[in-house]
Amino acid sequence: QILLAWITAMFLGILLHEFGHALAMRYYGLDPWITLYGLGGLTSARSASAYRGLDSSTFAQIFISFAGPLAGFAGAGLITVAAVAAGNELAWSPLGPRIVWNGLSVGAYFGDFLFQICVFWGLINLLPVYPLDGGQIAREVFQYFSPRGGIRNSLLLSMVTAGGLAALAVLLFRSLFMALMFGYLSYMSY
């Protein structure tokens, strides 16, 4: 039951994140669709020419990229409000906020999993690592200030950040999965 709660929370957390991107795309007149796969998702839309007279400005692209993590943070906020209203407590740990649940039911596990996924999925996605949302945002910012070298500079930042995170994953967290994931993203940015 706990595994099913985790799988359901992961599915809903990722779907909420992608809905954030989709709503932002709709705001800019695009026709989005969501594809979920493995431990992630992708929100796509028609090509840039599909913008209905609305600009495809740097701000619009940044807003669309940021909308996914923002939706997750809003979801975590709603979970927190509901949990506290139900008599649970919000506590702070070295890794950030946690909800202290008044029981170990499957619902409490589900709520905790969904809360953690909404918070940490958003934070990880805001890292300036391509193709994560933060990498997309970094690319837009670098291109805005340097149209010729912006993509190169954003990929360099992505490579260094992901490489550093892979090293931290091995040395500090002892996480082979994180090391492989960020090592792969660093290599892809290279």
Side-chain angles (χ1 to χ4, degrees):
Q1 290 178 340
I2 293 172
L3 179 62
L4 183 59
W6 180 81
I7 291 170
T8 305
M10 188 68 122
F11 171 79
L12 291 175
I14 293 170
L15 188 60
L16 177 63
H17 178 98
E18 298 304 328
F19 270 134
H21 292 307
L23 287 173
M25 288 177 175
R26 284 252 186 219
Y27 176 79
Y28 284 104
L30 295 169
D31 184 23
W33 66 90
I34 296 172
T35 306
L36 298 178
Y37 56 89
L39 294 176
L42 177 67
T43 304
S44 306
R46 306 258 183 263
S47 68
S49 63
Y51 281 82
R52 278 190 241 143
L54 223 46
D55 66 331
S56 60
S57 69
T58 298
F59 178 78
Q61 296 299 322
I62 289 172
F63 180 73
I64 289 169
S65 293
F66 188 70
L70 184 63
F73 297 148
L78 289 174
I79 293 166
T80 302
V81 168
V84 170
N88 301 292
E89 293 180 31
L90 180 65
W92 293 90
S93 72
L95 293 176
R98 288 203 56 95
I99 298 172
V100 180
W101 300 90
N102 291 332
L104 297 177
S105 68
V106 174
Y109 279 110
F110 171 75
D112 192 48
F113 292 147
L114 186 56
F115 176 81
Q116 296 299 322
I117 290 164
C118 284
V119 171
F120 290 113
W121 190 256
L123 291 176
I124 287 172
N125 262 282
L126 286 175
L127 293 170
V129 175
Y130 198 80
L132 303 176
D133 297 325
Q136 307 278 347
I137 291 169
R139 183 194 66 216
E140 291 298 325
V141 170
F142 276 106
Q143 275 192 289
Y144 179 79
F145 289 108
S146 175
R148 281 189 73 188
I151 291 176
R152 179 184 176 280
N153 292 337
S154 70
L155 288 172
L156 182 61
L157 174 64
S158 174
M159 181 181 68
V160 169
T161 302
L165 289 168
L168 276 176
V170 169
L171 300 172
L172 189 61
F173 300 114
R174 309 251 190 269
S175 171
L176 181 62
F177 173 75
M178 281 180 56
L180 289 173
M181 180 181 78
F182 283 114
Y184 174 73
L185 292 175
S186 178
Y187 174 74
M188 293 306 294
S189 294
Y190 171 76

